Amino acid sequence: MKKRIIGIDVARAIAIIGMIIVNFKVVFGNTGSNWVKSVASVFDGKAAATFVVIAGIGLALITNSAIDQKDKLKLKIARNRIIKRAIFLFIIGISYIAIWPADILHFYGIYMAITILLLSSKEKTILISAISFIIAFPILMAFWGYETGWDFDTLSYQEFWSIKGFIRNLFYNGFHPVIPWTAFMLFGYWFGKQDLHNEKFIKKTFWVSTIIFIAIQVLSYLSISFLSEGNQDSAKALSEILGTNPMPPLPIYMCNGIAISFAIISACIMISKRFENSFIIDALNKTGQLALTFYVAHVIIGMGIVEAINPSEMGKYSIEFSVIYALGFSLLCIVFAVIWRKYKKTGPLEWLMRKITD
């Protein structure tokens, strides 16, 4: 049996910390120093993309041995476990959507359900399916208005609880729509089917994905600057099409998200292997193993404390407050993970999920 790749859990910890920073600045406020805004915006859309790609890798690691051994019974057991977990995550996400409209977990459940259909597919089929999700989104945009249902000033979605509104939000224009976001999980699933113990492959993945990421960032910036000719309104309009922002999730953003995810994950695998006995790597490894618990906790506890203290100030805090609070909360998560893992094998929510789904 191959040794567990701790770099994947380290990457998951970095992704969850990135998501905490992004979500806290959305909820608490984003006014203040431009350089803090710029640094914090690095995580926008990229942390969540990495989180989903890692989930795809996880699905591959669960099913690889059954598929390689052509063990139909083992694969059936794994498939049933995955579908139960997909339902569990969907229900958890929906259960608190009234207080956290930007939830990713209910989307996550659908990505997993779709990936189940491709578990035994050839790698080429998995990649073609992922690319199809990316291409499908701009085609849908040509027929349906992306802004339908949205009030972007308040980030609220009208008719969310109607059947039509819910399906539209889930599949097309929600925060993390099934089309095209499922592509992140499928690319992760493909990546997880590779030999992640092969240093040469990991190193090559890191350099190729880093170069692609930088190239997309530079080309996006230059094309917007050139075509807008210095006009701010034109630049804003062009950035929606040629930019790397997650909303709307056009092909440029998707390719950018896949590239940075692969770069982060491969870097974490290499660094974690080299510094395996380091306290920091060990702490991040344990944090990554409790990612589901921390995702829910950052909403219920992290956001809940600030709202309970001063509800009228929500959305009016400075970017400095949002980032410092996010980093402080993340540090507490790391400390909790280190202490918790001394006594327990899995996090509280991870334990509940396994109890229900295994």
Side-chain angles (χ1 to χ4, degrees):
M1 190 177 173
K2 285 186 175 178
K3 194 178 177 186
R4 185 182 176 99
I5 303 162
I6 62 171
I8 293 168
D9 284 319
V10 171
R12 191 184 281 114
I14 290 166
I16 200 78
I17 291 166
M19 288 169 79
I20 290 168
I21 292 168
V22 171
N23 295 339
F24 280 6
K25 70 188 179 77
V26 167
V27 172
F28 299 141
N30 194 22
T31 56
S33 173
N34 284 329
W35 76 267
V36 180
K37 277 187 197 176
S38 299
V39 171
S41 69
V42 166
F43 298 99
D44 290 358
K46 301 176 187 76
T50 305
F51 197 58
V52 178
V53 170
I54 293 167
I57 295 171
L59 295 184
L61 297 178
I62 290 169
T63 55
N64 278 346
S65 65
I67 291 165
D68 293 343
Q69 294 162 15
K70 294 183 170 61
D71 188 331
K72 289 184 179 178
L73 179 63
K74 198 174 177 183
L75 184 60
K76 187 183 178 183
I77 292 165
R79 187 179 272 118
N80 288 341
R81 185 181 297 152
I82 293 165
I83 194 73
K84 285 177 190 173
R85 288 185 181 183
I87 294 165
F88 176 84
L89 292 171
F90 185 84
I91 291 167
I92 289 285
I94 288 295
S95 70
Y96 64 55
I97 208 138
I99 59 167
W100 180 230
D103 169 70
I104 198 172
L105 297 180
H106 69 290
F107 290 107
Y108 214 84
I110 306 297
Y111 311 152
M112 287 171 74
I114 293 167
T115 305
I116 287 168
L117 302 174
L118 294 160
L119 286 184
S120 307
S121 301
K122 291 177 181 176
E123 287 180 18
K124 190 178 177 183
T125 307
I126 294 162
L127 289 176
I128 289 168
S129 301
I131 292 163
S132 300
F133 273 97
I134 294 170
I135 294 167
F137 182 76
I139 294 169
L140 283 178
M141 274 188 86
F143 294 95
W144 289 288
Y146 179 73
E147 294 83 8
T148 308
W150 274 109
D151 179 348
F152 284 110
D153 292 331
T154 58
L155 283 180
S156 58
Y157 199 89
Q158 312 303 316
E159 299 177 341
F160 180 85
W161 292 112
S162 70
I163 293 170
K164 189 178 176 182
F166 185 83
I167 291 170
R168 184 177 61 234
N169 182 284
L170 185 66
F171 285 91
Y172 172 53
N173 70 347
F175 281 101
H176 317 284
V178 170
I179 302 169
W181 272 68
T182 303
F184 287 133
M185 191 167 282
L186 291 174
F187 267 100
Y189 184 65
W190 169 84
F191 188 69
K193 291 174 84 65
Q194 312 310 306
D195 183 3
L196 302 184
H197 293 273
N198 183 333
E199 281 186 47
K200 194 177 176 184
F201 170 74
I202 295 298
K203 200 174 280 187
K204 186 179 177 182
T205 301
F206 171 74
W207 285 113
V208 170
S209 52
T210 301
I211 290 163
I212 291 170
F213 171 72
I214 293 168
I216 291 170
Q217 290 286 126
V218 171
L219 286 170
S220 171
Y221 176 78
L222 291 176
S223 57
I224 292 166
S225 299
F226 176 74
L227 293 169
S228 67
E229 297 177 336
N231 185 298
Q232 290 297 312
D233 292 333
S234 299
K236 193 176 179 182
L238 284 163
S239 66
E240 288 187 10
I241 304 163
L242 300 171
T244 56
N245 293 324
M247 292 179 79
L250 286 161
I252 291 174
Y253 162 70
M254 293 299 295
C255 294
N256 198 46
I258 292 159
I260 192 62
S261 299
F262 281 1
I264 290 167
I265 295 160
S266 49
C268 287
I269 291 171
M270 289 189 293
I271 293 164
S272 300
K273 199 169 185 180
R274 189 169 178 183
F275 301 101
E276 195 173 344
N277 299 318
S278 145
F279 173 75
I280 293 170
I281 294 297
D282 181 58
L284 289 172
N285 175 32
K286 286 167 179 168
T287 305
Q289 290 169 3
L290 272 68
L292 177 60
T293 293
F294 294 141
Y295 181 80
V296 174
H298 96 281
V299 175
I300 308 295
I301 301 169
M303 296 177 190
I305 288 169
V306 176
E307 187 163 19
I309 292 167
N310 201 344
S312 61
E313 283 297 303
M314 294 295 276
K316 298 174 188 174
Y317 288 98
S318 68
I319 184 68
E320 290 85 355
F321 170 83
S322 300
V323 171
I324 290 166
Y325 184 65
L327 293 173
F329 186 83
S330 299
L331 186 62
L332 287 174
C333 288
I334 294 167
V335 171
F336 178 87
V338 171
I339 296 167
W340 182 270
R341 285 286 281 107
K342 275 187 178 180
Y343 306 100
K344 305 282 183 182
K345 282 187 176 180
T346 55
L349 257 184
E350 287 80 4
W351 174 84
L352 181 65
M353 181 170 74
R354 288 188 181 189
K355 191 82 175 167
I356 292 169
T357 63
D358 284 0

